[in-house]
Amino acid sequence: MIKTCVRRLAAPLAAALTASLLVAAPAPARAAEGRYTADIRRTEYGIPHISAKDHGGLGYGYGYAFAEDNLCVMASWALTLRGERSRHFGAEAMSDDAVDPVSNLASDVYYKSVHASGVLRRVLARPAPHGPGAEVRALVDGYVAGFNRYLSETGVAGLPDPACRGKDWVGPITATDVWMNLLDLGRLAGSSSFKEAIAASGQEEEEMKQPDRKKKVSAPGSNAYALGREATRSGHGMLLADPHFPWNGSRRFYQVHLTIPGVLDVSGGSLYGTPMVQIGHNASVAWTHTVSHAQRFTLYRLKLVPGRRTTYLVDGRPEPMGRQEVSVTVRDAKGATNTVTTTLYTSRYGPVLATGWTEGTAIALADVNAANLRFADEWLAMGTARDLAGLRRAQDTYQGMPFVYTLAADAGGETHFADASVVPHVTDEQADRCRAGDDPEMLILDGSTSACLWGEDADAIEPGVFGPAAQPRLARNANADPWLTNPEAPLTDYPRIFGDTRTQRDLRTRVGLDMIAQRLSGGDGLGAPGFTLDTLQRTATGKRNLSAELLRPDLRALCRAKPVMTASDGEKVDVRRACATLTAWDGRARLDSRGAILWREFFLGLHRPQRRPDGGVIPPRSWWKVPFDPEHPLTTPRGLDLANPAVPAALADAVRFFRANDLPLTLTPGQAQWYGAVPVPGCTEAEGCFDRIRARGALGEEGRYADVDTGSSFLMAVELTPSGPRARTVLTYSLSADSTSPHHADQTELFSRGRWVTGRFTEAEIRAYPGLTTVSLR
């Protein structure tokens, strides 16, 4: 099965708040004397292999190993999750959220409101599978104890990482911090991306009348292939994981191998602060995730009672909004502290937002993951699955995947795709009947009638969500969102809230599908048809640029016809050297691909609006020669509309920028893209690059982008053979965020050169590493 997907993340918090609440700081979780034991063995690139006799000990070893490598990141993130950033860093500074940074004050108000709502306390009080099971609880408690043991042994003043050495904001973490991190991960596609709108919900009425500011967050699109016996040369199942997550902060992956003999043996990528593997493999099953196209929330338009702006109507009856007072300690520039108190409002649906509030209406958000921690048990159970049937049972039992598709393969050559994620139960009929807004990208429902509440499925673990029977699933090779999971057998029989059909696919999805087709036919120049572990790796990191493949022939024709082109401001620009450079370019985004950056600047320029002589803006019109055709979604749109003046203007503008800053037209990715001191290959998603990277901001006058901040993160290619897994991995930003660590950039250098790490999974493979080190915690 094969998969590639992209998604925007956005949505709300749904916790009923009916009174003013204050937040008490939780006490640190401590390990009882002699309770935990674990062994930490490290192989090449510092990769830890942690073994213990039980889940508490496993968490203990994991927490200790992670603290050795990344204590400063977790210490800072703990302040964020507690709502204490303004106390230490000031209210105006930006938070450390790598996905959606906001001001410290907005961040603190949001997180303190989550604590005050009591939602975490209520979830933790529920028995499994609705709340965490005993094994996950033991993992969390052990993780906290192990992390704190390392800090206690080392001392804040003795920490190797200068980022937090000796800082007064560093201290022990608590179990509440880890549970909050998990809860926040679940809300990544929902409430967590509306922090500012939630934190400002109680602002003065005149301010609330300002026009809506729609919050739309770009999700990191990810790649995945699950390959069955018919797609591989050996007949074994194979899997490629290529999640595109941030390269900095708390949403990075940590590579780890976790073992409890006879119980659990799983290796893969684990997001910071989570004591379980999210993307990985065991001896016979491998799985990965990509961001689902399904929506995680709905907005509800509230009908306010005239003259009572905090009371709304449901079925003709008035309901008062819940009121919550949130107090944040703020440090000013002189070091003095004061308290800022904010009033927030909530409804039966969830928090009332600051945006969209008028005299007669307000907007509330309902987040389907507001009280979801089930995914923690689900990931742990997936790690013990012996085959795909076991993996599916784990997903059907917990039904907790927060915002991702699942792709998996097993040693028997079977494959699996499912959107087994948590999705609000809104049928197409209900969406049409209850729609209260005209924005096609935002589902706003009528909050004045209970008939528009989310529905129920008999097989769903919780009311308000779709059950497994309604989820898009496929048990064969697949790719893209559910519609084109397998282009030979498109999926269409699912509610629109799971994703659209018959709409234009992005270029990265199209190139991923084409890469599969070429490998299965043998048309990619990598040898006989069918995947091997080697060709899977080479395919995944081939650095193809689909936009160039689709558009360069027409651009060459334009170059021949117009060696001098008109820039957007009317200036004439000689483009002959640029055209020669693009003609000679290899069409890839390798470190040494001469002309790749010039192409990017030209291609991105096609998307920029043009300015009129009077200073006005002309919105860009489509420059595709052949428009999108839903009957041919993998080959349209294509070609350049050479009659569109935006096309020559984009090339002329790019050439003029290069010349004005004395930059070579042959500028390569290796010269323009860096992560710290390491040059980074790759190109952007917009260009149609499978193994994509992103650097925020425009190309600088010195010929460099800002450091890469998102892209391929934990690459894993696995072949599941009867004798055990064969894995190749690379953690693109390396294991440690500590700039003094030998493992701060060692795998980044591998990634830069297109190299991989050979996985060590069996006891014999681990012991065979000549530089093996062992730390025994007792």
Side-chain angles (χ1 to χ4, degrees):
M1 204 156 58
I2 318 156
K3 175 101 189 141
T4 312
C5 64
V6 196
R7 179 59 181 154
R8 199 178 56 246
L9 297 184
L13 160 70
L17 308 174
T18 58
S20 299
L21 300 171
L22 298 177
V23 186
R30 300 182 183 279
E33 186 68 28
R35 178 181 176 188
Y36 300 122
T37 63
D39 290 325
I40 305 169
R41 294 179 292 175
R42 291 189 184 258
T43 54
E44 52 264 80
Y45 305 100
I47 298 170
H49 304 257
I50 300 161
S51 59
K53 63 182 180 181
D54 55 29
H55 289 84
L58 193 65
Y60 190 59
Y62 187 2
Y64 190 95
F66 180 80
E68 287 184 298
D69 294 316
N70 295 294
L71 185 140
C72 290
V73 176
M74 189 64 190
S76 175
W77 187 238
L79 293 182
T80 302
L81 296 169
R82 296 170 190 166
E84 296 180 355
R85 297 198 66 80
S86 298
R87 176 196 297 269
H88 297 280
F89 309 118
E92 300 302 321
M94 298 302 286
S95 71
D96 61 346
D97 189 328
V99 175
D100 184 29
V102 297
S103 74
N104 282 337
L105 182 59
S107 177
D108 289 345
V109 170
Y110 169 77
Y111 284 109
K112 280 189 175 290
S113 76
V114 176
H115 280 285
S117 74
V119 61
L120 183 58
R121 181 183 67 253
R122 292 192 295 274
V123 177
L124 292 177
R126 301 187 72 186
H130 303 281
E135 294 173 342
V136 168
R137 293 174 192 266
L139 269 175
V140 169
D141 289 344
Y143 183 90
V144 169
F147 185 98
N148 289 342
R149 172 173 173 170
Y150 173 78
L151 178 61
S152 177
E153 289 178 350
T154 308
V156 176
L159 291 172
D161 191 345
C164 70
R165 183 192 306 131
K167 304 295 186 182
D168 60 2
W169 49 266
V170 178
I173 64 171
T174 71
T176 299
D177 295 329
V178 177
W179 290 120
M180 275 291 291
N181 182 46
L182 287 165
L183 186 70
D184 193 62
L185 174 62
R187 295 171 169 214
L188 185 64
S191 311
S192 185
S193 63
F194 278 88
K195 296 185 191 76
E196 288 177 302
I198 292 171
S201 71
Q203 63 182 296
E204 291 303 315
E205 185 174 2
E206 287 304 314
E207 295 179 75
M208 289 191 280
K209 291 180 182 178
Q210 297 300 315
D212 292 5
R213 184 174 68 84
K214 296 172 185 172
K215 176 70 174 177
K216 297 180 181 180
V217 180
S218 295
S222 301
N223 301 324
Y225 290 170
L227 304 166
R229 64 175 69 91
E230 295 179 358
T232 65
R233 297 277 302 281
S234 64
H236 303 146
M238 291 186 187
L239 183 118
L240 171 74
D242 181 17
H244 296 171
F245 262 58
W247 281 31
N248 301 290
S250 62
R251 298 305 182 202
R252 299 199 338 166
F253 284 98
Y254 185 76
Q255 189 171 359
V256 68
H257 181 189
L258 302 174
T259 303
I260 302 173
V263 176
L264 177 71
D265 194 9
V266 60
S267 182
S270 171
L271 289 168
Y272 280 22
T274 64
M276 67 284 298
V277 168
Q278 281 88 37
I279 291 176
H281 69 88
N282 57 30
S284 55
V285 179
W287 71 93
T288 187
H289 302 292
T290 59
V291 177
S292 163
H293 288 231
Q295 195 158 328
R296 305 300 150 193
F297 68 95
T298 60
L299 292 81
Y300 280 94
R301 177 161 290 162
L302 307 180
K303 182 178 180 180
L304 302 181
V305 174
R308 298 165 62 186
R309 71 180 185 87
T310 60
T311 302
Y312 59 100
L313 295 170
V314 180
D315 297 334
R317 292 186 293 272
E319 289 189 11
M321 293 181 186
R323 179 185 173 97
Q324 183 187 39
E325 301 287 338
V326 177
S327 295
V328 173
T329 300
V330 175
R331 173 176 291 181
D332 63 24
K334 296 181 179 180
T337 59
N338 61 83
T339 300
V340 175
T341 300
T342 304
T343 302
L344 307 183
Y345 293 96
T346 190
S347 68
R348 63 158 59 190
Y349 307 105
V352 180
L353 303 184
T355 55
W357 203 319
T358 71
E359 291 286 351
T361 62
I363 299 293
L365 293 91
D367 183 350
V368 76
N369 285 304
N372 176 25
L373 289 175
R374 298 186 304 276
F375 51 83
D377 284 274
E378 189 168 334
W379 274 317
L380 189 61
M382 287 166 62
T384 65
R386 296 175 180 268
D387 52 28
L388 291 186
L391 183 140
R392 285 191 290 268
R393 281 194 299 272
Q395 296 207 309
D396 289 349
T397 298
Y398 294 101
Q399 299 179 33
M401 285 294 103
F403 54 85
V404 290
Y405 299 124
T406 300
L407 293 96
D410 65 15
E414 298 294 326
T415 58
H416 170 69
F417 161 79
D419 189 347
S421 61
V422 188
V423 178
H425 194 294
V426 180
T427 65
D428 293 351
E429 181 277 330
Q430 185 183 22
D432 294 336
R433 170 171 48 85
C434 292
R435 184 174 290 277
D438 55 6
D439 184 344
E441 296 188 23
M442 282 288 186
L443 181 57
I444 304 178
L445 303 179
D446 183 359
S448 69
T449 170
S450 58
C452 294
L453 290 169
W454 297 343
E456 296 186 32
D457 275 348
D459 62 340
I461 192 170
E462 301 273 8
V465 302
F466 283 105
Q471 297 166 346
R473 297 190 176 201
L474 193 68
R476 55 185 296 190
N477 291 345
N479 194 59
D481 68 1
W483 175 39
L484 293 179
T485 294
N486 186 329
E488 300 301 319
L491 292 171
T492 57
D493 189 19
Y494 52 86
R496 290 195 304 265
I497 199 167
F498 278 95
D500 54 18
T501 63
R502 298 178 64 81
T503 58
Q504 185 171 322
R505 305 295 95 175
D506 61 80
L507 293 181
R508 180 173 58 85
T509 296
R510 287 172 59 184
V511 77
L513 288 163
D514 188 63
M515 286 158 50
I516 295 161
Q518 290 203 29
R519 180 80 300 269
L520 295 181
S521 70
D524 56 5
L526 298 180
F531 282 91
T532 65
L533 189 57
D534 175 66
T535 58
L536 178 57
Q537 294 171 249
R538 293 169 66 188
T539 297
T541 56
K543 305 292 184 291
R544 282 179 59 184
N545 186 315
L546 185 61
S547 65
E549 295 174 18
L550 294 174
L551 303 178
R552 196 161 49 159
D554 286 332
L555 185 64
R556 288 176 184 145
L558 181 64
C559 284
R560 289 192 295 269
K562 293 186 176 181
V564 176
M565 297 185 188
T566 304
S568 56
D569 65 356
E571 180 182 345
K572 302 296 184 180
V573 179
D574 188 329
V575 298
R576 284 175 293 184
R577 287 183 55 208
C579 290
T581 297
L582 294 176
T583 298
W585 170 44
D586 63 9
R588 306 277 174 151
R590 302 184 177 105
L591 283 180
D592 60 353
S593 293
R594 296 161 60 89
I597 302 302
L598 175 62
W599 176 267
R600 181 183 308 172
E601 293 303 301
F602 157 70
F603 182 75
L604 297 181
L606 290 173
H607 299 75
R608 298 187 186 109
Q610 302 295 308
R611 293 201 172 273
R612 297 195 303 262
D614 62 2
V617 173
I618 305 172
R621 78 170 196 259
S622 176
W623 35 262
W624 290 105
K625 180 166 58 178
V626 179
F628 171 70
D629 180 353
E631 299 302 322
H632 302 282
L634 302 183
T635 56
T636 60
R638 64 178 182 271
L640 269 176
D641 176 8
L642 301 185
N644 188 332
V647 175
L651 183 58
D653 286 347
V655 171
R656 189 168 55 175
F657 176 84
F658 275 68
R659 289 177 181 169
N661 294 289
D662 199 26
L663 300 178
L665 296 171
T666 56
L667 191 68
T668 66
Q671 295 167 321
Q673 296 174 171
W674 297 75
Y675 183 68
V678 181
V680 178
C683 50
T684 65
E685 182 166 26
E687 294 171 85
C689 294
F690 185 77
D691 43 340
R692 49 85 75 168
I693 55 87
R694 183 191 71 186
R696 293 185 188 273
L699 181 66
E701 295 178 355
E702 73 286 357
R704 283 185 58 166
Y705 298 101
D707 265 16
V708 171
D709 68 349
T710 303
S712 295
S713 51
F714 176 62
L715 281 160
M716 180 182 73
V718 185
E719 181 178 15
L720 299 157
T721 76
S723 58
R726 298 174 58 226
R728 305 290 184 268
T729 65
V730 63
L731 190 63
T732 58
Y733 33 67
S734 303
L735 197 71
S736 176
D738 176 0
S739 60
T740 69
S741 169
H743 307 303
H744 177 64
D746 50 357
Q747 289 198 59
T748 311
E749 293 173 354
L750 278 186
F751 176 69
S752 176
R753 302 195 304 270
R755 304 282 296 279
W756 298 63
V757 181
T758 299
R760 296 181 184 272
F761 186 76
T762 67
E763 210 29 51
E765 290 168 340
I766 295 169
R767 290 180 177 178
Y769 178 58
L772 186 69
T773 63
T774 302
V775 172
S776 295
L777 302 177
R778 299 288 182 268

